[in-house]
Amino acid sequence: MMRRDRLVLAATLTAIFSADLYFILLPKLRSVGQGSGHFCQCGPNNLTLPRHGGLATPQLSNWTSGQLDGTTPGPADGGSKLGRLFAHPLYNIQPPVLGLEERLLQAEQLMEYYRRKVSRWERHMKLYSEAAAMSNISVTEHEVTFDPDASWLKFHLGISRYALYSRDDPAIPQLVKDMQSMAVVSADYTQDEKALKGACDCTQVVKPSGHHLKLALKMQNFAKAMFKPMRQQRDEETPEDFFYFVDFQRHNAEIAAFHLDRILDFRRVPPVAGRLVNVTGEVLQVTHNEDLRAVFFTSPANNTCFFAKCLYVCKTEYAVCGGPDQLEGSLSAYLPSLSIAPRISIPNPWIRSYTFTGREEWEVNPFYCDNIKQLYPYNSGNRLLNIIDMSIFDFLTSNMDRHHYEIFNKFGDEGFLLHLDNARGFGKHSQDEMSILAPLSQCCMIKRSTLLRLQLLARPEFRLSDVMRESLEGDPLQPVLSEPHLLALDRRLQKVLRAVHRCVRRLGKDEVITKDFVKSTARPQTATEMKRVR
């Protein structure tokens, strides 16, 4: 009897020692090995992840098929880190050849739509000019010409199943440049603000979308852009007592989000440019909306101001003012009209509670993602992985206001997510809101391409803050972000990589990292095939 007890005790001690060795001692030895600079390159699929502690720079490792060799190409354009980043093999992987079904719009379809728009515009302007003359209203009229080779049309035609634009599409930098200088021929409230007219409920704690003033501006060549005016100085942080759902919308956050999206190679944010707008000459004098004309006034400081036509913001203290007429803001290129490229808005599974006391299930249930993985459309394909991409993007910008996302109807479940409305980002540079990363930390999944690019941007020879600073220098409103906000990007990037590392330690990289590259010679993967790869 005593001998059997000794055997049981010995077996128990052996099991405990083995567990300690496997779960505690071995990981520490691996960390020591990595810290000394010696790590194993065991094969083409090796991926070295960052150490768990500190802010160590992760290593970018090799990948299959010889496309990525982990080397950094020589300087393509002198000392430009951004140029070297975009010359890296990770940013030069050939996508599949686009067929008709992979493109959002066809040229003939788009041109016919705008020919009808031009005709309606000309009829409308003729009638409005006659009515304005009879009412002694002064309206500035600009000559409008429809250019079938305009950069904004090329942007619309370049939208595909995989992104809003290709990596090397020359129409995008041209469109950004055009938005900075094109003549404005018409100004109006946006459609969502018009929908609020007469429907504003001042008893609501959380106001409906649109209570932060924004305008739709039409340009001389029929381009259309959304104007968001400046509401907060660069060096101001969002007050600590502000809830995310009553925070300011920041024009510079929209600009910075476009550049960050491009640097991450998501290409899911429409082009955005900063611009100084003359609110008298480029808004008041060209608007045909009497409601908009009625909210202009001159402040005691002799500045031209205007406000939104809604019950809870139709007060002068909510107005935006020029100085005296010049007003800084962002211009975001409109996507194709819903009548030719319908989109659907879908609630984010990780939506936040928009009340002072409420909490959502994901905030209290650490196994929430297990339930989401069983639900359509997150149980197959890449939708959940795209949600995780979006959460990483939002965490880097510190945007907590992602209550919905949009997709193009044509591309169905396999389409990419649009990262629209990023104006509530970059509010606090001194705080990192870890709850934004809940999709990543709860689901423990990430695209291999996303992870490799994040690792690349953590390298000293690139560094996310440096390439962002360089990219933003091209905007006329520079500096778009203050230095503390730029440095916060590096800090948050390390936290994303450590979150992935924790998942890999717990589940193994084969369960966490999903291969998502498709060679140009291969057909796109189906949902079943993608699941099998994992």
Side-chain angles (χ1 to χ4, degrees):
M1 185 71 177
M2 186 175 294
R3 183 176 298 174
R4 186 165 60 243
D5 291 341
R6 288 177 178 176
L7 288 174
V8 171
L9 179 61
T12 303
L13 291 174
T14 302
I16 292 173
F17 176 76
S18 299
D20 285 343
L21 178 65
Y22 184 80
F23 290 106
I24 297 176
L25 296 177
L26 284 180
K28 287 185 177 180
L29 289 173
R30 291 193 190 103
S31 297
V32 171
Q34 289 177 356
S36 64
H38 301 287
F39 51 88
C40 178
Q41 297 283 3
C42 298
N45 289 321
N46 179 61
L47 182 69
T48 304
L49 291 164
R51 296 197 303 270
H52 179 59
L55 293 178
T57 302
Q59 303 293 325
L60 180 70
S61 300
N62 298 339
W63 190 60
T64 56
S65 74
Q67 285 181 302
L68 306 176
D69 57 6
T71 61
T72 303
D77 52 354
S80 169
K81 285 190 175 184
L82 189 64
R84 293 199 297 272
L85 179 72
F86 289 154
H88 193 278
L90 270 172
Y91 289 79
N92 289 276
I93 298 169
Q94 294 300 314
V97 177
L98 298 178
L100 293 179
E101 289 305 309
E102 277 72 45
R103 296 184 181 276
L104 180 65
L105 296 170
Q106 304 305 311
E108 298 80 4
Q109 171 194 15
L110 189 62
M111 295 305 168
E112 179 58 29
Y113 172 79
Y114 274 101
R115 289 190 191 99
R116 295 196 300 269
K117 291 275 287 185
V118 169
S119 298
R120 284 198 298 270
W121 169 264
E122 291 174 345
R123 291 195 302 269
H124 170 78
M125 286 304 300
K126 181 179 179 181
L127 293 174
Y128 187 83
S129 298
E130 293 172 354
M134 293 177 61
S135 304
N136 293 321
I137 297 175
S138 176
V139 178
T140 302
E141 294 189 26
H142 293 275
E143 181 181 356
V144 178
T145 55
F146 175 68
D147 180 8
D149 293 321
S151 57
W152 63 272
L153 277 173
K154 292 180 179 178
F155 161 54
H156 288 180
L157 288 173
I159 299 174
S160 73
R161 179 184 296 277
Y162 308 104
L164 283 175
Y165 53 90
S166 62
R167 294 181 181 94
D168 55 353
D169 188 350
I172 303 306
Q174 185 60 49
L175 176 56
V176 170
K177 183 179 179 181
D178 289 345
M179 287 193 295
Q180 297 168 4
S181 59
M182 285 189 293
V184 179
V185 301
S186 176
D188 201 353
Y189 288 124
T190 59
Q191 289 300 319
D192 57 347
E193 293 213 356
K194 288 181 178 180
L196 289 173
K197 184 180 177 183
C200 304
D201 184 359
C202 294
T203 65
Q204 294 183 16
V205 173
V206 183
K207 310 306 181 188
S209 173
H211 75 283
H212 288 278
L213 179 57
K214 50 188 179 287
L215 298 175
L217 303 184
K218 184 172 289 185
M219 308 300 175
Q220 198 164 17
N221 64 358
F222 269 85
K224 196 173 181 182
M226 181 182 294
F227 176 72
K228 290 188 177 182
M230 179 177 180
R231 303 303 295 262
Q232 185 172 320
Q233 297 293 332
R234 307 287 199 280
D235 56 352
E236 290 183 84
E237 276 203 282
T238 299
E240 291 183 356
D241 291 329
F242 270 37
F243 287 91
Y244 50 87
F245 46 77
V246 295
D247 192 10
F248 295 111
Q249 290 206 12
R250 287 167 284 274
H251 71 299
N252 61 315
E254 288 282 11
I255 301 168
F258 163 65
H259 287 260
L260 178 63
D261 173 81
R262 178 170 165 260
I263 286 169
L264 294 173
D265 203 36
F266 289 155
R267 291 170 283 129
R268 299 164 198 170
V269 175
V272 184
R275 176 164 170 169
L276 282 173
V277 170
N278 186 305
V279 292
T280 300
E282 296 181 299
V283 179
L284 175 60
Q285 293 181 0
V286 299
T287 183
H288 306 143
N289 186 320
E290 295 305 317
D291 287 334
L292 179 54
R293 296 177 68 89
V295 298
F296 274 79
F297 65 96
T298 302
S299 74
N302 207 33
N303 293 323
T304 303
C305 310
F306 64 104
F307 49 84
K309 191 71 171 181
C310 197
L311 292 177
Y312 53 82
V313 288
C314 60
K315 301 177 182 178
T316 56
E317 58 262 40
Y318 294 112
V320 292
C321 301
D325 294 291
Q326 297 295 312
L327 179 60
E328 184 177 311
S330 64
L331 281 180
S332 304
Y334 263 69
L335 294 172
S337 169
L338 293 174
S339 60
I340 57 172
R343 307 190 301 271
I344 184 172
S345 179
I346 302 172
N348 185 354
W350 279 266
I351 189 172
R352 295 179 180 274
S353 172
Y354 280 71
T355 67
F356 293 133
T357 57
R359 300 190 75 186
E360 295 293 327
E361 183 184 350
W362 65 267
E363 297 178 275
V364 297
N365 178 9
F367 304 104
Y368 174 77
C369 188
D370 293 339
N371 299 330
I372 294 298
K373 288 178 180 179
Q374 306 304 315
L375 302 177
Y376 172 84
Y378 306 106
N379 55 358
S380 64
N382 62 4
R383 180 71 63 85
L384 184 55
L385 289 166
N386 286 338
I387 291 281
I388 292 168
D389 277 352
M390 185 171 65
S391 73
I392 294 171
F393 175 73
D394 287 338
F395 176 71
L396 292 173
T397 65
S398 193
N399 177 18
M400 300 174 66
D401 192 37
R402 188 69 68 185
H403 42 78
H404 286 75
Y405 63 87
E406 294 188 27
I407 60 172
F408 288 109
N409 291 13
K410 178 175 181 178
F411 302 138
D413 293 340
E414 291 306 303
F416 62 92
L417 312 187
L418 292 162
H419 297 174
L420 305 177
D421 196 6
N422 302 291
R424 281 190 168 139
F426 296 103
K428 296 180 180 179
H429 56 71
S430 58
Q431 179 179 335
D432 301 332
E433 182 55 56
M434 297 304 298
S435 64
I436 302 175
L437 272 183
L440 171 63
S441 58
Q442 290 181 357
C443 299
C444 273
M445 298 166 59
I446 189 171
K447 292 179 182 177
R448 187 180 188 89
S449 60
T450 299
L451 179 58
L452 288 173
R453 285 192 296 269
L454 293 176
Q455 289 183 307
L456 188 68
L457 289 165
R459 282 184 166 190
E461 59 264 39
F462 297 107
R463 190 174 286 112
L464 180 55
S465 60
D466 291 343
V467 292
M468 269 291 284
R469 187 184 298 106
E470 182 181 345
S471 184
L472 291 170
E473 284 175 356
D475 192 271
L477 299 185
Q478 62 168 304
V480 174
L481 292 178
S482 65
E483 194 63 20
H485 277 298
L486 288 168
L487 296 179
L489 289 171
D490 295 329
R491 184 181 68 239
R492 291 169 186 158
L493 174 56
Q494 294 291 346
K495 291 184 177 182
V496 173
L497 293 173
R498 288 206 296 272
V500 176
H501 179 67
R502 286 192 293 270
C503 287
V504 169
R505 286 185 61 183
R506 182 161 61 91
L507 301 174
K509 69 178 183 181
D510 291 338
E511 286 297 314
V512 175
I513 304 168
T514 299
K515 296 179 182 178
D516 65 316
F517 285 128
V518 181
K519 298 181 184 179
S520 59
T521 55
R523 60 183 177 83
Q525 290 174 302
T526 64
T528 304
E529 289 169 337
M530 288 188 69
K531 188 174 182 180
R532 191 182 301 124
V533 166
R534 296 194 68 251

